[in-house]
Amino acid sequence: MDFSALLAGITSAAGGGIIGVIGTGLQAWTTYKSEQLKMAHELKMRELDQAEITLEHSLKMQEVEATVKGEIAVAEQNRLQTETQVAGELQLASYQADAAKYGGGFVDAIRGLMRPVLTLYFATLMALIAYQLFMLNDQFIGTATASYLLKDLVNAAIFLATTSVTWWFGSRPVRTLKG
């Protein structure tokens, strides 16, 4: 055997071993890097999944809050309607109790007639006074007394008419329009 052939065989065996070791090392290194990249990818995907879950939770909470706020608004509206209804029923019950307490409708009838009767009374009284003054005026034509009496009569008539109308319409309860 030739030394150069032996050297060539050893070199080729050593070279092949070295290349095999290098190849194995490169394969191990690429596998390691691949695993690192895979883990980094999975970690990033988990972070994105968590962000998605957090966002979904946030949206769900907003939806629940909106639903709760809507239910609270409906409950508040129902409460206001109930309070209004109860207030109306209490007022009606109060009217019915007053009617029973004051002898049925007799007191209400007198109370209801008071304003128109007084208005009619004052109007009739003013007409009678005016008639009397006109009769006196015929006797005292041109005197200062008759003109002062007529002036006072006109002022009194205006005062009584204003008082009657203001009292008549001003003491009525204010009604609101329901929309």
Coordinates of all heavy atoms in Angstrom, one line a residue, residues 134-141 143:
F134 N -127.7 107.6 36.4 CA -128.3 108.3 35.2 C -129.6 109.0 35.6 O -129.9 110.1 35.0 CB -128.5 107.3 34.1 CG -127.3 106.9 33.3 CD1 -126.9 105.6 33.2 CD2 -126.5 107.9 32.7 CE1 -125.7 105.3 32.6 CE2 -125.3 107.6 32.1 CZ -124.9 106.2 32.0
M135 N -130.4 108.5 36.5 CA -131.6 109.1 36.9 C -131.2 110.4 37.7 O -131.9 111.4 37.5 CB -132.4 108.2 37.8 CG -132.9 107.0 37.1 SD -133.7 107.5 35.6 CE -135.4 107.3 36.0
L136 N -130.2 110.3 38.5 CA -129.7 111.5 39.3 C -129.1 112.5 38.3 O -129.2 113.7 38.5 CB -128.7 111.1 40.3 CG -129.2 110.4 41.6 CD1 -128.0 110.0 42.4 CD2 -130.1 111.3 42.4
N137 N -128.5 112.0 37.3 CA -127.8 112.9 36.3 C -128.8 113.8 35.6 O -128.5 115.0 35.3 CB -127.0 112.1 35.3 CG -126.0 113.0 34.5 OD1 -125.6 114.0 35.0 ND2 -125.6 112.5 33.4
D138 N -130.0 113.3 35.4 CA -131.0 114.1 34.8 C -131.4 115.3 35.7 O -131.8 116.3 35.2 CB -132.3 113.2 34.5 CG -132.1 112.3 33.3 OD1 -131.2 112.6 32.5 OD2 -132.9 111.3 33.1
Q139 N -131.4 115.1 37.0 CA -131.7 116.1 37.9 C -130.5 117.1 38.1 O -130.8 118.3 38.3 CB -132.1 115.6 39.3 CG -133.3 114.7 39.2 CD -133.6 114.0 40.6 OE1 -132.9 114.2 41.6 NE2 -134.6 113.2 40.6
F140 N -129.3 116.6 38.0 CA -128.1 117.5 38.2 C -127.3 117.6 36.9 O -126.1 117.5 36.9 CB -127.2 116.9 39.3 CG -127.9 116.7 40.6 CD1 -128.2 115.4 41.0 CD2 -128.2 117.8 41.4 CE1 -128.8 115.2 42.3 CE2 -128.8 117.6 42.6 CZ -129.1 116.3 43.1
I141 N -127.9 117.9 35.8 CA -127.2 118.0 34.5 C -126.2 119.2 34.6 O -126.5 120.3 35.0 CB -128.2 118.3 33.4 CG1 -129.1 117.1 33.2 CG2 -127.4 118.6 32.1 CD1 -130.1 117.2 32.1
T143 N -123.6 119.4 36.6 CA -123.0 119.6 37.9 C -121.7 118.7 38.0 O -121.6 117.7 37.3 CB -123.9 119.3 39.1 OG1 -124.2 117.9 39.0 CG2 -125.2 120.1 39.0

